[in-house]
Amino acid sequence: MMARPSPTLLWRRKPTLMIVTLLVVVVALVAAACTSGSDGNAASDANASREAAGLNPLTDEQVNAALKTYLPSGEHDPYIMFASGGHSGQMFVIGVPSMRILKEIGVFTAEPWQGWGFGNVGTMETLAQGDVNGNEVRWADTHHPALSETGGEYDGQFVFINDKANARVAVIDLRDFETKQIVKNPIAIVDHGGTKVTPNTEWIIQGGQYAAPHGWEYSALENYDEDYKGMVTFWKFDRSSGRILEDQSFALELPPYWQDLCDAGKLVSEGWVFCGSFNTERATGESGPDGVPFEAGASARDNDYLHVINLDKAVEVFDAGNTFDVNGFPVVGLQTLIDEGILYFVPEPKSPHGADVTPGGDYIVVSGKLDPHVSVYSFEKIQQAIADKNWVPDPYGIPVLDFDAVLEAQVEVGLGPLHTEFDNDGYAYTSIFLDSTVARWSLGPPYRDDGWKLEGTLPVHYNIGHLSTVGGDTVSPDGTYLVALNKWSIDRFFPPGPLLPQNLQLVDITQPPSDDSDTGGMQLLYDMPLGMGEPHYAQIIKADKLAPFEVYPEIGYDPAIMAVDPDAPVSGNERIERNGNNVEIWMTAIRSHYTPDRVDLKTGDNVTWHITNIDTSFDATHGFALPAYNINLSLEPGETATIEFIADQSGTFPFYCSEFCSALHLEMAGYMLIEP
Ligand code: RUQ
Ligand code: CUA
């Protein structure tokens, strides 16, 4: 695929093997890309151009890093990262290792390019599923994407994401990368601990956060201990319809501790769920009854509680109807959880974010942000402690298992450990917020005989939150790349005003730890600024596990139902029908024409307008922009969409194709005439 280096260049080889290899690759790249006949080496060629632009010359190590992320035009990324969109309320699709943004998927927020929420009835209805008590909530704080799994591996079919600000969960179908459903949690108004899926995606887990009375009813903070509740919700997912089945979903009533990220057990621990928590102090804030600011009050105790949940048993209890209703949603009560042996606690270092299950399902890794260690709990020991009733009750009567009896190991990794993912070689990677590093440490048996030790740390810039390795929370991680999702970027990029982009840093983790590497073999490759919201967490899947449509499979396909709309306009049946003041239009779009291209209406008409893109070529998308009525559609090949509006403004309105589709794209237009 690359040209061989020319013999005249080979004499320049340097003594070390690495440099020779590097040079050969660099020379090959330049030989392939450049016909200038220059006999300089690639690095010096590159450095000459860089110097002209005022950039610093590159070191060999930097050239090496650049080559590892470089994709020649046309070569695809082997991995795809799904990153939360933070405040944008969306999801970002990013190629790895190139770190090129491929798409921002419209999820909770309208997105005009995709015609997401600008008149297309299907998209408007999906967005409206996220209304809160009839209020149109059209922003979201998306945090944790979760790819659907089969047998504990990403299967590339769906991706889910939570909205922390309003406790909502969205379902995105990866056949067309479009959002299909939004569910609002009926018992909680905010969440955080979601989403994660069980190993076969039977359940989507949505953990809570700031405790409140269920149904977010009013109750004064003075009643915190009695009225305020925590929760975790299990949404039943139906793969065949691609939808959450709200009427087969349920929640658990938890104490008013602030639940956080959960992880599903897998393999040996399948059927169990683990959630971190904080504020087990039940602090109510500086202005609350205890008068202590939250950040101090919620950190007063040395421990919080890892919630250990027997999901299989919870499902049995739910199926038996042993629940009560909140806003019509079934909740398994706290006393039932205790009586049935569904809920146990394990003391965990205070204020952790999440609990991360190792690839074999045998350990749960927790890091308290205020403790320099990661704590590793053994699932087997947890089961033994439950069998031995080796516990004391918490204030609500929930069994707290003995810490020493369930702990497998602690590894000192640095200040402010946060989140851990894994590779295929028995190493774990923990983001270290206060130190701004990634720690690489080894798991013990059965992963590595000489494990439970720190292998090295890599500085990242700056204030890392989550990290993500390829397949890093599955049964078979890949061990190639890691992405550090850094909260601050300070001096890394040109500052576009005082609000700075996030910094997503790509790290090569293919090299083993070695004695002469402080970083444990990790190499920083690339800084990617992202100034579109704050991605909290991301998951990275092998691209070959995704099988998106190139075009919709049949003409007249409605993405909202992922099937042909029997009423879709098709070639030959385009028409306008008027019934009193109800007007219905069947229109087709093809390069470079709308049929019909003139629509006559009268003020006050009720308009229903269907448009099908009858083009079937890859990438032959048409738009449909209708001024004054806030309408823009994106009609991908084969797609049909419907808009509805009342023609309440008379006038002459040209409509046009808003996607540059052809040489005669500007001519792809028509007139909507609304007579007063
Ligand atoms: S988070 S690091 Cu919600 Cu898990 Cu921001
Ligand atoms: Cu169709 Cu531009």
Side-chain angles (χ1 to χ4, degrees), residues 19 24 47 87 120 137 150 167 208 268 270 289 351 359 430 455 474 536 542 544 579 635 638 653 669:
I19 295 191
V24 167
N47 280 334
H87 316 69
N120 179 331
V137 178
T150 299
V268 292
E270 184 162 354
S351 303
T430 300
E455 302 288 350
T474 71
H536 290 262
K542 280 182 156 168
D544 62 14
N579 254 313
L635 298 156
F653 303 95

Side-chain angles (χ1 to χ4, degrees), residues 143-159:
H143 275 240
H144 306 104
L147 284 155
S148 59
E149 296 181 10
T150 299
E153 298 204 50
Y154 300 150
D155 56 34
Q157 294 181 4
F158 300 94
V159 62

Side-chain angles (χ1 to χ4, degrees), residues 584-652:
E584 192 159 0
I585 300 148
W586 287 265
M587 174 183 272
T588 58
I590 190 167
R591 279 164 292 169
S592 308
H593 189 70
Y594 294 111
T595 310
D597 59 5
R598 166 181 176 157
V599 172
D600 288 286
L601 299 170
K602 293 189 173 59
T603 308
D605 281 347
N606 277 318
V607 183
T608 305
W609 191 326
H610 315 278
I611 311 177
T612 303
N613 177 358
I614 59 174
D615 259 306
T616 54
S617 310
F618 202 10
D619 208 5
T621 295
H622 298 291
F624 178 78
L626 187 62
Y629 284 86
N630 199 31
I631 285 168
N632 185 49
L633 303 181
S634 170
L635 298 156
E636 288 115 57
E639 177 174 353
T640 201
T642 296
I643 52 178
E644 288 173 350
F645 60 94
I646 294 168
D648 51 9
Q649 302 181 52
S650 65
T652 301

Side-chain angles (χ1 to χ4, degrees), residues 591-592 594 621-623 657-662 665-666 668:
R591 279 164 292 169
S592 308
Y594 294 111
T621 295
H622 298 291
C657 175
S658 55
E659 183 85 18
F660 206 121
C661 55
S662 58
H665 152 80
L666 284 183
M668 190 168 173

